[in-house]
Amino acid sequence: MNIMIRSLLALSAAFTAMLPAFAADDTAPVKLDPEKRAGLNLTAIPPDAYKDILVAGELNMRVATLFAGKELNVSIFESKPAKTNHRTRPNNQDEFVYVLSGKLILTEPNGTVHEYLPGDSLVLPVGYTGTWEMQGNYREIAVVPQKNPPKK
């Protein structure tokens, strides 16, 4: 899914209405937009962006960047019911996910199934190649590291 989130973040950056939140002072806390967390004002992702990994359902996804920092990105992602197989597109970064609505079912290549409901969180490690099934009106907050964080 990380590849999906990174691609979604790149697509959302193209839309000026989806400008990420920045603190006026680099060290000030940044409140995540409650309207976007609720699924309002998200940007639609072209349905053909992930057709190569679609297994079931329809890729009707929306996304917004909530924060783009020096070392991490926070985004909101929403999807109607769909299932994707990441065998050919594994995660290339660790990803923290907090489920806001719907249900997420991750199935490892060995058949082990993991289910996540609203309020659940998980870390999807680099290299995940199983399926990602989103049920209901699925929405999550995803946190991923910047590709090339600045050196300290």
Side-chain angles (χ1 to χ4, degrees):
M1 180 67 173
N2 187 303
I3 240 172
M4 183 181 296
I5 293 298
R6 281 187 298 98
S7 297
L8 295 173
L9 289 172
L11 287 169
S12 71
F15 298 94
T16 58
M18 306 313 300
L19 293 175
F22 292 100
D25 170 359
D26 286 273
T27 60
V30 176
K31 183 176 182 177
L32 302 180
D33 185 332
E35 287 189 359
K36 289 181 181 163
R37 283 192 337 243
L40 302 175
N41 305 316
L42 304 182
T43 300
I45 301 304
D48 61 343
Y50 301 98
K51 66 181 178 185
D52 62 316
I53 60 172
L54 181 63
V55 175
E58 185 178 326
L59 290 177
N60 184 359
M61 303 176 295
R62 301 180 325 139
V63 67
T65 299
L66 297 174
F67 176 78
K70 293 177 184 173
E71 296 189 20
L72 62 88
N73 286 317
V74 180
S75 64
I76 186 86
F77 170 80
E78 181 178 81
S79 178
K80 298 297 183 199
K83 183 175 183 180
T84 55
N85 186 334
H86 295 263
R87 181 178 37 86
T88 60
R89 289 171 80 168
N91 282 21
N92 63 4
Q93 288 182 290
D94 293 324
E95 178 178 351
F96 170 82
V97 173
Y98 181 81
V99 178
L100 295 170
S101 67
K103 182 178 186 179
L104 174 63
I105 301 171
L106 299 177
T107 304
E108 298 178 47
N110 68 8
T112 302
V113 177
H114 307 272
E115 293 187 3
Y116 302 94
L117 298 171
D120 289 341
S121 57
L122 64 130
V123 173
L124 201 58
V126 168
Y128 176 76
T129 59
T131 62
W132 187 287
E133 182 177 353
M134 299 153 288
Q135 295 183 346
N137 185 29
Y138 178 72
R139 189 176 319 117
E140 71 180 29
I141 291 178
V143 180
V144 296
Q146 284 279 25
K147 269 299 221 191
N148 298 306
K151 299 202 188 304
K152 294 182 178 182

PDB file of all heavy atoms in Angstrom, residues 33-43 62-64 66 76-78 100-101 137-139:
ATOM      1  N   ASP A  33      -6.256  18.799   9.519  1.00  0.00           N
ATOM      2  CA  ASP A  33      -7.529  19.359   9.089  1.00  0.00           C
ATOM      3  C   ASP A  33      -8.688  18.410   9.407  1.00  0.00           C
ATOM      4  O   ASP A  33      -8.780  17.318   8.834  1.00  0.00           O
ATOM      5  CB  ASP A  33      -7.462  19.635   7.593  1.00  0.00           C
ATOM      6  CG  ASP A  33      -8.681  20.328   7.039  1.00  0.00           C
ATOM      7  OD1 ASP A  33      -9.784  20.160   7.596  1.00  0.00           O
ATOM      8  OD2 ASP A  33      -8.540  21.039   6.030  1.00  0.00           O
ATOM      9  N   PRO A  34      -9.611  18.804  10.315  1.00  0.00           N
ATOM     10  CA  PRO A  34     -10.717  17.913  10.691  1.00  0.00           C
ATOM     11  C   PRO A  34     -11.687  17.642   9.540  1.00  0.00           C
ATOM     12  O   PRO A  34     -12.287  16.571   9.480  1.00  0.00           O
ATOM     13  CB  PRO A  34     -11.403  18.637  11.853  1.00  0.00           C
ATOM     14  CG  PRO A  34     -10.953  20.047  11.762  1.00  0.00           C
ATOM     15  CD  PRO A  34      -9.617  20.042  11.074  1.00  0.00           C
ATOM     16  N   GLU A  35     -11.859  18.585   8.624  1.00  0.00           N
ATOM     17  CA  GLU A  35     -12.755  18.351   7.485  1.00  0.00           C
ATOM     18  C   GLU A  35     -12.187  17.270   6.568  1.00  0.00           C
ATOM     19  O   GLU A  35     -12.912  16.402   6.103  1.00  0.00           O
ATOM     20  CB  GLU A  35     -12.993  19.644   6.703  1.00  0.00           C
ATOM     21  CG  GLU A  35     -13.887  20.615   7.442  1.00  0.00           C
ATOM     22  CD  GLU A  35     -14.303  21.803   6.588  1.00  0.00           C
ATOM     23  OE1 GLU A  35     -13.874  21.896   5.415  1.00  0.00           O
ATOM     24  OE2 GLU A  35     -15.055  22.633   7.106  1.00  0.00           O
ATOM     25  N   LYS A  36     -10.891  17.323   6.326  1.00  0.00           N
ATOM     26  CA  LYS A  36     -10.271  16.298   5.481  1.00  0.00           C
ATOM     27  C   LYS A  36     -10.267  14.954   6.187  1.00  0.00           C
ATOM     28  O   LYS A  36     -10.501  13.918   5.563  1.00  0.00           O
ATOM     29  CB  LYS A  36      -8.870  16.721   5.061  1.00  0.00           C
ATOM     30  CG  LYS A  36      -8.907  17.853   4.056  1.00  0.00           C
ATOM     31  CD  LYS A  36      -7.544  18.276   3.615  1.00  0.00           C
ATOM     32  CE  LYS A  36      -7.682  19.429   2.625  1.00  0.00           C
ATOM     33  NZ  LYS A  36      -6.452  20.151   2.458  1.00  0.00           N
ATOM     34  N   ARG A  37     -10.030  14.948   7.495  1.00  0.00           N
ATOM     35  CA  ARG A  37     -10.103  13.691   8.251  1.00  0.00           C
ATOM     36  C   ARG A  37     -11.485  13.068   8.127  1.00  0.00           C
ATOM     37  O   ARG A  37     -11.636  11.859   8.133  1.00  0.00           O
ATOM     38  CB  ARG A  37      -9.762  13.923   9.734  1.00  0.00           C
ATOM     39  CG  ARG A  37      -8.297  14.077  10.023  1.00  0.00           C
ATOM     40  CD  ARG A  37      -8.003  14.000  11.517  1.00  0.00           C
ATOM     41  NE  ARG A  37      -9.130  14.324  12.355  1.00  0.00           N
ATOM     42  CZ  ARG A  37      -9.180  15.355  13.207  1.00  0.00           C
ATOM     43  NH1 ARG A  37      -8.161  16.151  13.339  1.00  0.00           N
ATOM     44  NH2 ARG A  37     -10.255  15.564  13.940  1.00  0.00           N
ATOM     45  N   ALA A  38     -12.513  13.919   8.017  1.00  0.00           N
ATOM     46  CA  ALA A  38     -13.894  13.453   7.877  1.00  0.00           C
ATOM     47  C   ALA A  38     -14.221  13.056   6.439  1.00  0.00           C
ATOM     48  O   ALA A  38     -15.327  12.615   6.158  1.00  0.00           O
ATOM     49  CB  ALA A  38     -14.856  14.536   8.352  1.00  0.00           C
ATOM     50  N   GLY A  39     -13.269  13.235   5.525  1.00  0.00           N
ATOM     51  CA  GLY A  39     -13.489  12.843   4.136  1.00  0.00           C
ATOM     52  C   GLY A  39     -14.003  13.968   3.251  1.00  0.00           C
ATOM     53  O   GLY A  39     -14.392  13.723   2.112  1.00  0.00           O
ATOM     54  N   LEU A  40     -13.989  15.202   3.736  1.00  0.00           N
ATOM     55  CA  LEU A  40     -14.445  16.339   2.943  1.00  0.00           C
ATOM     56  C   LEU A  40     -13.276  16.939   2.165  1.00  0.00           C
ATOM     57  O   LEU A  40     -12.143  16.977   2.658  1.00  0.00           O
ATOM     58  CB  LEU A  40     -15.057  17.407   3.848  1.00  0.00           C
ATOM     59  CG  LEU A  40     -16.237  16.947   4.716  1.00  0.00           C
ATOM     60  CD1 LEU A  40     -16.664  18.064   5.655  1.00  0.00           C
ATOM     61  CD2 LEU A  40     -17.401  16.493   3.849  1.00  0.00           C
ATOM     62  N   ASN A  41     -13.556  17.414   0.970  1.00  0.00           N
ATOM     63  CA  ASN A  41     -12.566  18.131   0.155  1.00  0.00           C
ATOM     64  C   ASN A  41     -11.331  17.294  -0.197  1.00  0.00           C
ATOM     65  O   ASN A  41     -10.226  17.817  -0.240  1.00  0.00           O
ATOM     66  CB  ASN A  41     -12.148  19.434   0.840  1.00  0.00           C
ATOM     67  CG  ASN A  41     -13.325  20.312   1.156  1.00  0.00           C
ATOM     68  OD1 ASN A  41     -14.217  20.479   0.322  1.00  0.00           O
ATOM     69  ND2 ASN A  41     -13.365  20.851   2.355  1.00  0.00           N
ATOM     70  N   LEU A  42     -11.528  16.011  -0.441  1.00  0.00           N
ATOM     71  CA  LEU A  42     -10.424  15.168  -0.878  1.00  0.00           C
ATOM     72  C   LEU A  42     -10.374  15.179  -2.403  1.00  0.00           C
ATOM     73  O   LEU A  42     -11.370  15.446  -3.064  1.00  0.00           O
ATOM     74  CB  LEU A  42     -10.598  13.734  -0.367  1.00  0.00           C
ATOM     75  CG  LEU A  42     -10.754  13.555   1.141  1.00  0.00           C
ATOM     76  CD1 LEU A  42     -10.868  12.075   1.488  1.00  0.00           C
ATOM     77  CD2 LEU A  42      -9.621  14.205   1.901  1.00  0.00           C
ATOM     78  N   THR A  43      -9.227  14.871  -2.963  1.00  0.00           N
ATOM     79  CA  THR A  43      -9.032  14.867  -4.412  1.00  0.00           C
ATOM     80  C   THR A  43      -9.146  13.449  -4.965  1.00  0.00           C
ATOM     81  O   THR A  43      -8.527  12.522  -4.446  1.00  0.00           O
ATOM     82  CB  THR A  43      -7.639  15.434  -4.754  1.00  0.00           C
ATOM     83  OG1 THR A  43      -7.568  16.762  -4.251  1.00  0.00           O
ATOM     84  CG2 THR A  43      -7.400  15.436  -6.241  1.00  0.00           C
ATOM     85  N   ARG A  62      -9.864   8.653  -3.054  1.00  0.00           N
ATOM     86  CA  ARG A  62      -9.620  10.084  -2.891  1.00  0.00           C
ATOM     87  C   ARG A  62      -8.541  10.254  -1.841  1.00  0.00           C
ATOM     88  O   ARG A  62      -8.376   9.415  -0.960  1.00  0.00           O
ATOM     89  CB  ARG A  62     -10.901  10.786  -2.455  1.00  0.00           C
ATOM     90  CG  ARG A  62     -12.025  10.598  -3.457  1.00  0.00           C
ATOM     91  CD  ARG A  62     -13.343  11.260  -3.094  1.00  0.00           C
ATOM     92  NE  ARG A  62     -13.669  11.279  -1.693  1.00  0.00           N
ATOM     93  CZ  ARG A  62     -14.220  12.334  -1.070  1.00  0.00           C
ATOM     94  NH1 ARG A  62     -14.491  13.432  -1.732  1.00  0.00           N
ATOM     95  NH2 ARG A  62     -14.509  12.273   0.216  1.00  0.00           N
ATOM     96  N   VAL A  63      -7.821  11.372  -1.922  1.00  0.00           N
ATOM     97  CA  VAL A  63      -6.679  11.581  -1.046  1.00  0.00           C
ATOM     98  C   VAL A  63      -6.466  13.070  -0.793  1.00  0.00           C
ATOM     99  O   VAL A  63      -6.905  13.912  -1.578  1.00  0.00           O
ATOM    100  CB  VAL A  63      -5.396  10.950  -1.657  1.00  0.00           C
ATOM    101  CG1 VAL A  63      -4.970  11.679  -2.907  1.00  0.00           C
ATOM    102  CG2 VAL A  63      -4.280  10.870  -0.646  1.00  0.00           C
ATOM    103  N   ALA A  64      -5.778  13.376   0.295  1.00  0.00           N
ATOM    104  CA  ALA A  64      -5.327  14.740   0.572  1.00  0.00           C
ATOM    105  C   ALA A  64      -4.098  14.649   1.463  1.00  0.00           C
ATOM    106  O   ALA A  64      -3.996  13.770   2.320  1.00  0.00           O
ATOM    107  CB  ALA A  64      -6.409  15.561   1.259  1.00  0.00           C
ATOM    108  N   LEU A  66      -2.221  15.947   4.525  1.00  0.00           N
ATOM    109  CA  LEU A  66      -2.522  16.669   5.754  1.00  0.00           C
ATOM    110  C   LEU A  66      -1.297  17.407   6.275  1.00  0.00           C
ATOM    111  O   LEU A  66      -1.418  18.443   6.910  1.00  0.00           O
ATOM    112  CB  LEU A  66      -3.029  15.702   6.827  1.00  0.00           C
ATOM    113  CG  LEU A  66      -4.333  14.979   6.491  1.00  0.00           C
ATOM    114  CD1 LEU A  66      -4.649  13.943   7.570  1.00  0.00           C
ATOM    115  CD2 LEU A  66      -5.471  15.959   6.335  1.00  0.00           C
ATOM    116  N   ILE A  76      -4.490  11.627   4.203  1.00  0.00           N
ATOM    117  CA  ILE A  76      -5.772  10.975   4.408  1.00  0.00           C
ATOM    118  C   ILE A  76      -6.089  10.256   3.110  1.00  0.00           C
ATOM    119  O   ILE A  76      -5.858  10.803   2.026  1.00  0.00           O
ATOM    120  CB  ILE A  76      -6.866  11.993   4.798  1.00  0.00           C
ATOM    121  CG1 ILE A  76      -8.178  11.307   5.171  1.00  0.00           C
ATOM    122  CG2 ILE A  76      -7.115  12.998   3.728  1.00  0.00           C
ATOM    123  CD1 ILE A  76      -8.229  10.911   6.594  1.00  0.00           C
ATOM    124  N   PHE A  77      -6.544   9.037   3.204  1.00  0.00           N
ATOM    125  CA  PHE A  77      -6.845   8.235   2.029  1.00  0.00           C
ATOM    126  C   PHE A  77      -8.220   7.624   2.230  1.00  0.00           C
ATOM    127  O   PHE A  77      -8.540   7.154   3.320  1.00  0.00           O
ATOM    128  CB  PHE A  77      -5.790   7.133   1.872  1.00  0.00           C
ATOM    129  CG  PHE A  77      -6.139   6.101   0.842  1.00  0.00           C
ATOM    130  CD1 PHE A  77      -5.945   6.347  -0.499  1.00  0.00           C
ATOM    131  CD2 PHE A  77      -6.681   4.889   1.224  1.00  0.00           C
ATOM    132  CE1 PHE A  77      -6.279   5.393  -1.453  1.00  0.00           C
ATOM    133  CE2 PHE A  77      -7.016   3.929   0.285  1.00  0.00           C
ATOM    134  CZ  PHE A  77      -6.816   4.189  -1.061  1.00  0.00           C
ATOM    135  N   GLU A  78      -9.035   7.623   1.173  1.00  0.00           N
ATOM    136  CA  GLU A  78     -10.376   7.061   1.244  1.00  0.00           C
ATOM    137  C   GLU A  78     -10.636   6.221   0.001  1.00  0.00           C
ATOM    138  O   GLU A  78     -10.181   6.568  -1.090  1.00  0.00           O
ATOM    139  CB  GLU A  78     -11.395   8.194   1.334  1.00  0.00           C
ATOM    140  CG  GLU A  78     -12.826   7.739   1.444  1.00  0.00           C
ATOM    141  CD  GLU A  78     -13.777   8.908   1.572  1.00  0.00           C
ATOM    142  OE1 GLU A  78     -14.111   9.515   0.533  1.00  0.00           O
ATOM    143  OE2 GLU A  78     -14.165   9.211   2.705  1.00  0.00           O
ATOM    144  N   LEU A 100      -9.742   5.010  10.117  1.00  0.00           N
ATOM    145  CA  LEU A 100     -10.778   5.930  10.575  1.00  0.00           C
ATOM    146  C   LEU A 100     -12.184   5.386  10.363  1.00  0.00           C
ATOM    147  O   LEU A 100     -13.070   5.591  11.199  1.00  0.00           O
ATOM    148  CB  LEU A 100     -10.650   7.274   9.849  1.00  0.00           C
ATOM    149  CG  LEU A 100      -9.379   8.067  10.123  1.00  0.00           C
ATOM    150  CD1 LEU A 100      -9.269   9.233   9.162  1.00  0.00           C
ATOM    151  CD2 LEU A 100      -9.362   8.542  11.569  1.00  0.00           C
ATOM    152  N   SER A 101     -12.421   4.720   9.226  1.00  0.00           N
ATOM    153  CA  SER A 101     -13.745   4.168   8.946  1.00  0.00           C
ATOM    154  C   SER A 101     -13.618   2.979   8.004  1.00  0.00           C
ATOM    155  O   SER A 101     -12.595   2.798   7.346  1.00  0.00           O
ATOM    156  CB  SER A 101     -14.672   5.229   8.344  1.00  0.00           C
ATOM    157  OG  SER A 101     -14.230   5.618   7.066  1.00  0.00           O
ATOM    158  N   ASN A 137     -17.001   2.283   3.473  1.00  0.00           N
ATOM    159  CA  ASN A 137     -16.384   3.559   3.106  1.00  0.00           C
ATOM    160  C   ASN A 137     -15.070   3.644   3.881  1.00  0.00           C
ATOM    161  O   ASN A 137     -15.005   4.207   4.969  1.00  0.00           O
ATOM    162  CB  ASN A 137     -17.306   4.727   3.454  1.00  0.00           C
ATOM    163  CG  ASN A 137     -16.743   6.039   2.966  1.00  0.00           C
ATOM    164  OD1 ASN A 137     -16.012   6.088   1.975  1.00  0.00           O
ATOM    165  ND2 ASN A 137     -17.063   7.113   3.657  1.00  0.00           N
ATOM    166  N   TYR A 138     -14.026   3.056   3.316  1.00  0.00           N
ATOM    167  CA  TYR A 138     -12.750   2.929   4.008  1.00  0.00           C
ATOM    168  C   TYR A 138     -12.009   4.264   3.986  1.00  0.00           C
ATOM    169  O   TYR A 138     -11.865   4.904   2.952  1.00  0.00           O
ATOM    170  CB  TYR A 138     -11.887   1.842   3.352  1.00  0.00           C
ATOM    171  CG  TYR A 138     -10.548   1.720   4.019  1.00  0.00           C
ATOM    172  CD1 TYR A 138     -10.445   1.152   5.282  1.00  0.00           C
ATOM    173  CD2 TYR A 138      -9.405   2.209   3.415  1.00  0.00           C
ATOM    174  CE1 TYR A 138      -9.219   1.068   5.924  1.00  0.00           C
ATOM    175  CE2 TYR A 138      -8.184   2.121   4.044  1.00  0.00           C
ATOM    176  CZ  TYR A 138      -8.092   1.558   5.302  1.00  0.00           C
ATOM    177  OH  TYR A 138      -6.883   1.481   5.931  1.00  0.00           O
ATOM    178  N   ARG A 139     -11.521   4.670   5.160  1.00  0.00           N
ATOM    179  CA  ARG A 139     -10.721   5.893   5.262  1.00  0.00           C
ATOM    180  C   ARG A 139      -9.620   5.659   6.286  1.00  0.00           C
ATOM    181  O   ARG A 139      -9.850   5.041   7.322  1.00  0.00           O
ATOM    182  CB  ARG A 139     -11.591   7.079   5.679  1.00  0.00           C
ATOM    183  CG  ARG A 139     -10.849   8.403   5.574  1.00  0.00           C
ATOM    184  CD  ARG A 139     -11.718   9.629   5.891  1.00  0.00           C
ATOM    185  NE  ARG A 139     -13.036   9.537   5.326  1.00  0.00           N
ATOM    186  CZ  ARG A 139     -14.163   9.498   6.045  1.00  0.00           C
ATOM    187  NH1 ARG A 139     -14.124   9.548   7.358  1.00  0.00           N
ATOM    188  NH2 ARG A 139     -15.330   9.407   5.450  1.00  0.00           N
TER     189      ARG A 139
END
